[in-house]
Amino acid sequence: MPRATEIELKLLVASDRLAGFNAAPIIATNARNKGTRKHLKAIYYDTAKHALQRSGLSFRVRQSGARFTQTVKAELANDPLRRGEWEASVPSIAPDIALALPFIPEKLRADLERHPLEAVFTTDIRRHQRMVDLPSGTVEIAFDQGHLISGDRSLPVSEIELELKSGSPSAIWELALRLAEHGSVKPSIRTKSARGFDLAADAPPRAPKPPKLRLDPSISLDEAFSEILRSCLLHLLQSLPAAEDGRDPEGMHQLRVALRRLRSALDLMRSVVSLNKLDLMRAEAKWLAASLSGARDWDVFRQETLRTVADGCPSVAGFDTLGALADERRATCYDQARLALADRRCQYFVIGLGAWIEARGWRSEVAPEGLAQLAEPAINFARNILAAQHAKVLKRGRRFKSLPTEQRHRVRLAAKKLRYVADFLLPLCEHRKSARRFSRRLADLQQELGVYNDMATTTSLLADVGAGSTGSGVAAAAIAGWQAHAMVGIEARLLKAWSEFTGGKVPWSVDAQEQPAKLVQTNAGWLR
């Protein structure tokens, strides 16, 4: 069974527009020929408890004419386009688990021996496949149209798959950009497997938290930038389907987190890289985040604030009315968010970002001295940046106990930025226990400071729906009173969180807590 790494990007296209992309200039000029057409049917298998899917694996048998191919695919950490892929010919649509076992983690093999595989969903796809030769590489382009089917449910498929066959992965992004010029396309890394399992479970797309970075302390600054930005792009692409779907509020939350992480990563590079491209991408990320803010604010109000106070004040009238108003506002804001996500400005931004990261475009935007800095160990840069942002938080929080609310808000913003910077750069520090303690203290401080912002946001939302004049005034007053009461109790916790944050050791200092003790031999013996 040959082992390979699949490098692929999908472009989602309206079904009535798909055929038109065949005539896009980039394809008409560079395709080798008119290509081939196939009718592909596949069955995706898993155990009853979906053990393979939960481990990041997919298992299918696909039929193309009289040929049957069994495929195992595996997610690869921190890379948006790459997946492990292992194929083998089999005699029928029935799976041959013995052929796949060498490519399945050992801890799962016993599970597969005890629990037989069963069909989860099927695919029925008409594919037009062509080969496109570009200066940077050869890309197989597949126009897929058909359905995913599970029981009595089905989901249409209309997409363009771009798979690298040779050359640089930049070729995929280059081709995607040129296709985006021809018409509206939504970049996606969500596989047919992921969509099929969600269809079978009648579940919304998953919205994972950001992947944890694992940076080798010895890597160069250039390599660190690449790993950080890839992580941001992966989180962004993973969050888009769930945010657009809207059934799980976590989707919109994670997409906004992904955009904040990206902006923080771009800010990291400002001292080394030319500001022109960074500022342009940062502005696009800020625009998109602003388009999503209303949807996220109403999610929090509806799912957390309103529900908590209503459960705590069952005798107060008006919560149902206020909830209905909130649902209307939420639906409107989600419509606005979906318009932004479908906007070609968003599509260009995401595809352009991927192209810039893959080509390490920042190298062409630095002075010679900047190139030298990119080649240096990243740990030196990390220590300087972490120390500077930590100092900014301490400066804004000077005389913290007597700071007014608006000044504490500035402390919160600086602490939030430090937290993103720490998420990126602390993996470079070898003092892991110290790093975990620092991150925990910083997270506690940020959470306590966030109460001020939550209260200000709630006040604005209640004013937006005119709660006092809609029969929900008593419920709105109860929410305001509930939050005001919470503010009374938060001061002691906030001061404690600030004290623990400012009093703890920082993990990036050279004399951090976990430095190994040195033994010195003297006349009196070995001294520590």
Side-chain angles (χ1 to χ4, degrees):
M1 182 182 291
R3 176 171 181 157
T5 299
E6 177 185 68
I7 303 177
E8 180 183 281
L9 176 70
K10 297 180 186 295
L11 302 175
L12 308 184
V13 180
S15 59
D16 60 339
R17 301 285 183 179
L18 183 63
F21 280 90
N22 233 324
I26 184 70
I27 297 177
T29 303
N30 296 281
R32 292 180 185 176
N33 48 46
K34 294 186 180 297
T36 59
R37 297 181 185 272
K38 299 177 180 179
H39 185 192
L40 304 175
K41 295 182 178 181
I43 299 179
Y44 284 73
Y45 296 91
D46 208 333
T47 65
K49 294 185 177 180
H50 295 177
L52 292 173
Q53 187 212 17
R54 287 187 282 107
S55 298
L57 299 171
S58 69
F59 186 104
R60 77 169 184 227
V61 179
R62 172 188 279 172
Q63 178 183 4
S64 177
R67 182 184 178 190
F68 298 90
T69 305
Q70 178 174 283
T71 305
V72 177
K73 292 190 180 184
E75 298 174 1
L76 298 181
N78 286 341
D79 197 310
L81 301 190
R82 290 165 174 81
R83 285 188 298 276
E85 180 183 53
W86 301 271
E87 293 186 339
S89 294
V90 289
S92 71
I93 200 70
D96 185 342
I97 190 63
L99 282 176
L101 284 180
F103 307 97
I104 291 175
E106 189 172 348
K107 63 182 180 180
L108 281 178
R109 294 176 193 172
D111 198 12
L112 293 178
E113 290 172 359
R114 289 193 305 268
H115 305 288
L117 294 176
E118 56 187 50
V120 181
F121 68 95
T122 63
T123 64
D124 191 336
I125 304 294
R126 300 282 180 175
R127 167 172 288 184
H128 183 193
Q129 195 168 289
R130 304 180 74 177
M131 205 68 74
V132 179
D133 294 309
L134 301 174
S136 52
T138 297
V139 178
E140 182 182 84
I141 183 166
F143 302 87
D144 283 358
Q145 198 154 27
H147 288 85
L148 310 180
I149 304 153
S150 178
D152 58 355
R153 288 190 291 268
S154 69
L155 185 70
V157 172
S158 178
E159 64 189 26
I160 302 172
E161 280 191 3
L162 308 177
E163 182 177 351
L164 185 71
K165 290 301 180 181
S166 64
S168 168
S170 296
I172 285 181
W173 295 107
E174 177 189 348
L175 182 53
L177 278 171
R178 298 292 298 275
L179 290 172
E181 294 171 0
H182 187 75
S184 179
V185 295
K186 290 183 181 179
S188 174
I189 58 171
R190 192 163 177 246
T191 62
K192 292 182 179 72
S193 173
R195 284 176 281 174
F197 275 96
D198 288 342
L199 177 68
D202 195 20
R206 195 168 61 94
K209 292 183 178 180
K212 287 190 176 181
L213 277 170
R214 306 195 184 282
L215 302 179
D216 189 311
S218 65
I219 66 171
S220 68
L221 182 57
D222 185 52
E223 190 64 31
F225 283 162
S226 177
E227 291 294 319
I228 290 169
L229 288 169
R230 280 180 189 272
S231 171
C232 293
L233 178 62
L234 174 61
H235 190 207
L236 176 62
L237 287 167
Q238 286 176 331
S239 304
L240 282 168
E244 187 173 19
D245 179 88
R247 284 178 286 171
D248 182 358
E250 188 67 10
M252 193 62 70
H253 173 53
Q254 288 302 325
L255 181 53
R256 282 175 51 78
V257 170
L259 291 166
R260 284 199 299 266
R261 291 179 77 241
L262 174 62
R263 288 164 63 189
S264 295
L266 294 172
D267 281 343
L268 273 182
M269 305 171 72
R270 292 172 70 89
S271 62
V272 181
V273 180
S274 168
L275 299 185
N276 293 336
K277 187 69 173 179
L278 291 183
D279 285 348
L280 175 61
M281 287 190 292
R282 197 179 185 284
E284 292 301 274
K286 187 175 182 180
W287 159 76
L288 186 55
S291 303
L292 312 175
S293 61
R296 174 57 185 164
D297 289 344
W298 283 111
D299 274 340
V300 173
F301 178 81
R302 191 68 179 90
Q303 299 293 323
E304 298 176 19
T305 306
L306 183 62
R307 182 176 296 174
T308 299
V309 182
D311 289 346
C313 305
S315 61
V316 173
F319 283 112
D320 289 343
T321 302
L322 188 54
L325 291 170
D327 287 341
E328 290 178 6
R329 291 293 194 277
R330 179 184 181 276
T332 299
C333 288
Y334 261 87
D335 287 343
Q336 294 170 350
R338 289 187 182 100
L339 284 174
L341 295 175
D343 195 307
R344 294 178 74 176
R345 179 179 176 182
C346 174
Q347 297 162 13
Y348 276 121
F349 161 60
V350 176
I351 297 173
L353 175 66
W356 187 73
I357 294 171
E358 189 62 53
R360 298 198 186 187
W362 55 88
R363 290 175 174 173
S364 63
E365 300 170 21
V366 299
E369 58 271 19
L371 286 173
Q373 187 177 357
L374 287 174
E376 293 177 358
I379 185 63
N380 301 330
F381 176 86
R383 287 192 179 115
N384 291 335
I385 292 292
L386 286 164
Q389 189 59 35
H390 183 251
K392 182 178 289 187
V393 176
L394 297 180
K395 181 178 180 181
R396 289 188 178 181
R398 195 174 296 159
R399 301 184 186 88
F400 186 83
K401 186 175 182 179
S402 59
L403 284 181
T405 300
E406 60 271 17
Q407 294 299 318
R408 288 185 175 185
H409 178 64
R410 296 183 71 242
V411 177
R412 184 185 74 86
L413 295 178
K416 179 186 289 188
K417 186 172 182 179
L418 175 60
R419 188 173 180 185
Y420 286 126
V421 170
D423 286 346
F424 294 143
L425 300 180
L426 281 185
L428 291 167
C429 302
E430 296 178 333
H431 315 300
R432 294 183 180 177
K433 290 182 180 178
S434 178
R436 284 196 294 269
R437 285 193 293 268
F438 176 82
S439 295
R440 187 168 57 249
R441 292 192 299 265
L442 178 56
D444 290 344
L445 174 63
Q446 190 180 349
Q447 181 176 354
E448 299 299 341
L449 285 168
V451 174
Y452 287 94
N453 189 63
D454 292 344
M455 189 171 183
T457 301
T458 300
T459 301
S460 174
L461 296 178
L462 290 173
D464 180 38
V465 296
S469 59
T470 59
S472 57
V474 177
I479 291 174
W482 184 285
Q483 291 191 328
H485 178 72
M487 292 295 292
V488 174
I490 195 181
E491 188 65 17
R493 297 199 310 271
L494 181 55
L495 292 177
K496 181 174 181 290
W498 177 254
S499 176
E500 290 179 349
F501 171 74
T502 57
K505 288 188 176 182
V506 294
W508 56 85
S509 64
V510 292
D511 59 343
Q513 192 170 343
E514 292 165 28
Q515 283 282 5
K518 292 184 178 180
L519 298 178
V520 181
Q521 189 175 22
T522 69
N523 293 334
W526 288 95
L527 298 180
R528 187 177 293 271

